[in-house]
Amino acid sequence: MTTRNTKQAWLDAWLQAKPIDLNACKCGGRAYRFVLLGAPGVGKGTVAQMMAERLGLAHLATGDIFRAAKSLPAASLSPALQEAIGYMQRGELVPDQTVIDLVRERRACLHWPAGFVLDGFPRTVPQAEAFEQLMRAENLALDGVLNFELPIETIVARLGGRRTCSKCKAVYHVVNMPPKVDGICDNCGGPLIIREDDRPDAIRVRMDVYQKSTAPLIEYYRSRNMLITISAEGTPDDVFARTCKTAGIRCGGNPC
Ligand code: AMP
């Protein structure tokens, strides 16, 4: 089983709501289950991607579901999903119930044997409450909620240079993490694009939305003793190493 096939098992199940083959996971180690928090541009998607690649975790990003839906014919989408795409294009949050239903529909992904890293969900307190119930019903426990912090000027610089693979969703940065060939994904050869919601107008709305809707989640998880705050300064490798150290993650029994 190659890394690509292993990744494909949870990616198809997550993006296209296909059944998941849990036997595709050859991790053989302990599972890690984390939620990632942080303002847009803080680099949590990159850390999530590294956790997926290096620890075998399923990278479950709700934003990726909406972006994948956007490239499908409108007639094949449910009315709720069609409406959701409009919210995403404006940089606004999709209604809670739509997102909660989508995650619930894909709950088999939460059972990926190596564990998961949830990126972009929950995003509001009602979503966090619904997620807590879902985890309880599935008999699963979170290891923690990783909250990435970065000064605002650094965030703006990071967002401006971000490029995303239109095929496999891998994330790059023109300065901090360039692909080997300009504009081409190292993983799958797909074209790199600027995400619609990384354009300046949408970025402003997303920052605002984060302060109003997502920042309250920090208190929600702190009061439950689940919050692990991590500085997102430095290179992706620095942040990954700091994350493993702070959250007590061990790769194959050894510290990462
Ligand atoms: P992201 O890639 O996580 O920044 O998400 C991109 C966009 O998808 C957001 O700006 C929202 O429009 C939508 N979205 C993703 N996840 C959620 C969520 N948990 N709740 C509401 N909207 C979401």
Side-chain angles (χ1 to χ4, degrees), residues 32 250-255:
Y32 288 107
R250 296 165 79 83
C251 301
N254 302 311

Side-chain angles (χ1 to χ4, degrees), residues 92-133:
E92 294 168 17
L93 287 190
V94 172
D96 283 337
Q97 201 51 54
T98 305
V99 189
I100 292 166
D101 289 348
L102 283 174
V103 173
R104 204 173 278 139
E105 226 173 82
R106 291 160 169 78
R107 61 185 174 275
C109 292
L110 304 175
H111 291 274
W112 184 246
F116 63 76
V117 55
L118 257 180
D119 172 9
F121 178 88
R123 200 88 150 223
T124 63
V125 171
Q127 289 182 19
E129 287 166 348
F131 181 58
E132 204 169 299
Q133 277 179 16

Side-chain angles (χ1 to χ4, degrees), residues 15-246:
L15 294 185
Q16 299 165 34
K18 286 191 179 166
I20 190 165
D21 175 11
L22 295 176
N23 291 323
C25 180
K26 301 287 177 235
C27 65
R30 62 149 290 181
Y32 288 107
R33 299 187 183 95
F34 289 105
V35 162
L36 265 50
L37 291 184
V42 87
K44 64 182 183 339
T46 304
V47 179
Q49 193 174 312
M50 293 170 92
M51 290 170 89
E53 278 161 15
R54 298 184 188 182
L55 306 168
L57 314 192
H59 177 189
L60 309 179
T62 40
D64 285 348
I65 299 178
F66 299 125
R67 281 184 287 276
K70 201 185 148 266
S71 55
L72 297 173
S76 68
L77 302 175
S78 67
L81 210 43
Q82 287 184 37
E83 203 190 324
I85 292 170
Y87 286 98
M88 181 193 75
Q89 285 170 324
R90 293 189 296 276
E92 294 168 17
L93 287 190
V94 172
D96 283 337
Q97 201 51 54
T98 305
V99 189
I100 292 166
D101 289 348
L102 283 174
V103 173
R104 204 173 278 139
E105 226 173 82
R106 291 160 169 78
R107 61 185 174 275
C109 292
L110 304 175
H111 291 274
W112 184 246
F116 63 76
V117 55
L118 257 180
D119 172 9
F121 178 88
R123 200 88 150 223
T124 63
V125 171
Q127 289 182 19
E129 287 166 348
F131 181 58
E132 204 169 299
Q133 277 179 16
L134 180 62
M135 288 289 280
R136 207 174 303 127
E138 297 297 310
N139 218 358
L140 292 170
L142 271 185
D143 289 283
V145 175
L146 310 179
N147 175 37
F148 292 95
E149 288 190 333
L150 201 63
I152 184 82
E153 314 81 67
T154 318
I155 289 183
V156 171
R158 280 195 184 174
L159 281 176
R162 183 153 78 178
R163 300 291 180 271
T164 305
C165 174
S166 56
K167 276 197 189 157
C168 77
K169 315 298 167 209
V171 182
Y172 298 85
H173 191 279
V174 287
V175 180
N176 302 337
M177 202 171 50
K180 291 189 187 104
V181 179
D182 196 25
I184 305 289
C185 178
D186 293 351
N187 287 348
C188 74
L192 302 186
I193 53 161
I194 301 180
R195 278 170 29 176
E196 237 161 7
D197 52 343
D198 276 347
R199 307 229 158 90
D201 283 1
I203 288 173
R204 263 190 299 278
V205 177
R206 285 164 68 205
M207 287 292 186
D208 224 41
V209 164
Y210 178 78
Q211 285 310 325
K212 287 201 196 98
S213 309
T214 309
L217 277 186
I218 294 171
E219 258 335 292
Y220 179 91
Y221 284 119
R222 184 178 285 130
S223 69
R224 283 163 173 70
N225 261 334
M226 295 172 83
L227 197 73
I228 303 167
T229 296
I230 300 165
S231 158
E233 299 267 13
T235 65
D237 276 323
D238 292 340
V239 183
F240 178 73
R242 195 177 298 132
T243 303
C244 291
K245 193 163 174 232
T246 318

